[in-house]
Amino acid sequence: MSLTSDPPLHKAAESGAEREDYSTLEVVPVRNPWRWAAVAVTAVLVAQFAHGLITNPGWEWDVFADFFTSRTILKAVWITIQLTFYGTALGFALGIVLAFMRLSQSPFLKSVAFTYIWAFRSIPLIVQLLFWFNLTYLYKRLDFGIPFGPGFLSFDTAGLVGAMSAAVLGLALHQAAYAAEIVRGGVLAVDGGQLEAAAALGIPRLRQLRKIVLPQAMRSILPNAANEVISLFKGTSIVSVMAIGELFYQVQVIYGRNGRVVPLLMVATVWYIILTTVLSIAQYYVERRFSRGATR
């Protein structure tokens, strides 16, 4: 005699056999009429926009084609790439130093790094660029020697800091403030227990940083760093106030002469899109490399 309320196993099997066979039922997908309505509206808007780009004579695509690969524009694109490269390289090099200053145990180094980041994130980039462009107003000469003592080498700032140098300096110092916080956030994202385990195994501090911390921190650093590089690339247009012949400045000069504002702006727009796309593709492959072992 069973002491439970469960039916005997053979009876349960018989009842299961008598159940309806669901494999014969027809599977009907869920209908989403509002989704299809949204797709239709979006498709119509995209088609109208593309039709306007092709048929509207105001875009002047013949003028666009004439100037898109002209020598002046290609030279301006190269200057834009140079500004982005130097600003990124110097900015992230200084940003890494600032990040580890903020992570150090020294209150003085923490305060200096925090003050730098606070100041350069607070001042607009255009103001910084104009300040470095007018550096000779404050300092006629730069002396290198004993601090608060005699100098051994001196340079004339008028010949040392030109328009291009001032632009690179301003972009790099501005970028360093943001790069420092990106690197610091990536390092803090690494589990501290791994460093404790590495220290217990006797691994030197520098090797811990190079082999354990940075490879894992790069997964958090890369997406934000790539966004900053792309922002800096587009932000190089600000140096046009210093009469540097980068892409946006040259476009302004050309349409100031011939009055073809829209097609010349489209020349700059398409070049920015192309180079941003190249940076995005490079970001994808670099991220995939550093994510090895983290994704399956």
Side-chain angles (χ1 to χ4, degrees):
M1 181 177 179
S2 176
L3 299 178
T4 65
S5 60
D6 295 334
L9 295 179
H10 66 279
K11 291 185 178 180
E14 292 177 359
S15 61
E18 295 174 356
R19 292 177 182 173
E20 184 179 358
D21 186 7
Y22 292 105
S23 61
T24 60
L25 297 178
E26 181 182 359
V27 179
V28 179
V30 178
R31 292 179 175 84
N32 298 285
W34 291 110
R35 180 189 301 174
W36 288 107
V39 169
V41 171
T42 305
V44 170
L45 292 176
V46 171
Q48 286 183 319
F49 179 73
H51 181 267
L53 284 178
I54 296 172
T55 60
N56 190 338
W59 292 106
E60 298 183 274
W61 292 113
D62 54 336
V63 179
F64 170 88
D66 291 338
F67 285 98
F68 185 71
T69 56
S70 65
R71 177 175 298 182
T72 302
I73 294 298
L74 292 179
K75 183 179 178 181
V77 170
W78 174 239
I79 293 176
T80 299
I81 294 174
Q82 286 182 302
L83 289 171
T84 304
F85 175 78
Y86 292 126
T88 300
L90 297 175
F92 272 87
L94 179 58
I96 292 172
V97 175
L98 291 169
F100 284 100
M101 287 174 63
R102 286 209 63 185
L103 293 170
S104 70
Q105 300 298 321
S106 170
F108 177 74
L109 294 178
K110 282 185 177 181
S111 300
V112 172
F114 175 80
T115 303
Y116 178 96
I117 294 169
W118 165 75
F120 279 85
R121 288 199 304 182
S122 302
I123 303 173
L125 177 57
I126 189 171
V127 176
Q128 297 179 39
L129 291 172
L130 292 175
F131 173 81
W132 294 114
F133 187 61
N134 293 280
L135 184 63
T136 55
Y137 178 79
L138 294 175
Y139 301 99
K140 305 298 182 184
R141 301 177 66 84
L142 293 178
D143 295 326
F144 295 91
I146 300 175
F148 306 105
F152 303 117
L153 293 175
S154 61
F155 298 93
D156 185 5
T157 55
L160 183 63
V161 182
M164 190 71 174
S165 301
V168 171
L169 185 61
L171 292 172
L173 294 178
H174 178 79
Q175 185 71 17
Y178 294 90
E181 291 299 276
I182 292 173
V183 174
R184 186 174 72 93
V187 173
L188 290 176
V190 179
D191 186 9
Q194 300 190 37
L195 294 179
E196 295 177 1
L201 293 173
I203 299 177
R205 184 82 175 179
L206 184 59
R207 186 175 296 178
Q208 294 178 25
L209 178 65
R210 188 164 47 92
K211 295 293 186 179
I212 299 175
V213 176
L214 287 181
Q216 298 181 76
M218 288 297 289
R219 298 169 189 165
S220 301
I221 292 172
L222 279 174
N224 296 322
N227 286 336
E228 281 300 314
V229 174
I230 292 174
S231 296
L232 179 64
F233 165 68
K234 294 182 293 185
T236 54
S237 59
I238 299 179
V239 304
S240 60
V241 299
M242 303 164 64
I244 296 176
E246 50 81 42
L247 180 58
F248 185 65
Y249 178 80
Q250 289 295 351
V251 165
Q252 286 181 305
V253 171
I254 296 173
Y255 74 60
R257 294 173 179 172
N258 61 19
R260 298 292 191 269
V261 179
V262 173
L264 266 301
L265 288 178
M266 284 302 297
V267 168
T269 299
V270 174
W271 271 115
Y272 282 127
I273 291 174
I274 291 173
L275 295 178
T276 301
T277 303
V278 172
L279 290 174
S280 300
I281 294 173
Q283 173 193 354
Y284 169 77
Y285 284 104
V286 174
E287 285 186 8
R288 191 174 70 171
R289 175 178 176 81
F290 281 96
S291 64
R292 291 178 303 176
T295 58
R296 295 291 186 267

